[in-house]
Amino acid sequence: GVWVVNQEGRLYALIAICTHLGCPPNWLAEQNKFKCPCHGSGYYKSGVNFEGPTPRPLERYAVSVYPIHGQIVIDKTKKYQYEKGQWDAKESYIEL
């Protein structure tokens, strides 16, 4: 799965797979965080980890806007990792 997030003027596609053991985290709106039901890892809306055993932030897919129809396109063949400095890559988000 994918979580499409609109935050601070950017739209990005978080990969909904916990970086601990691969369970799908849930969005807990009342707590404003993603929470993995398997081992309790927690992630901020940005995807950055802050609690639990997860070793690193969630990954992102490449995202763009289809120019003719204006639809959001998520490219699942391209992943971006925070710890490698890839979240600043032009294809890892859409500027709003």
Side-chain angles (χ1 to χ4, degrees):
V2 176
W3 288 99
V4 177
V5 178
N6 178 352
Q7 184 179 31
E8 298 177 5
R10 289 185 174 180
L11 186 98
Y12 48 89
L14 289 174
I15 301 172
I17 298 174
C18 180
T19 55
H20 176 233
L21 292 176
C23 295
N26 299 308
W27 174 248
L28 303 178
E30 66 282 353
Q31 296 177 33
N32 201 35
K33 68 179 179 180
F34 293 100
K35 186 77 170 176
C36 182
C38 295
H39 298 103
S41 294
Y43 302 89
Y44 294 116
K45 188 176 181 181
S46 65
V48 172
N49 55 310
F50 69 92
E51 66 182 350
T54 187
R56 59 192 183 85
L58 297 172
E59 296 178 349
R60 294 181 180 178
Y61 284 129
V63 62
S64 61
V65 176
Y66 189 69
I68 296 173
H69 304 292
Q71 294 177 328
I72 296 170
V73 178
I74 297 170
D75 184 349
K76 292 184 177 182
T77 66
K78 297 179 183 175
K79 295 180 182 180
Y80 298 89
Q81 295 179 341
Y82 174 83
E83 63 274 16
K84 292 183 178 181
Q86 297 171 335
W87 280 10
D88 291 326
K90 191 175 182 180
E91 293 180 330
S92 71
Y93 63 90
I94 298 170
E95 199 76 47
L96 300 177

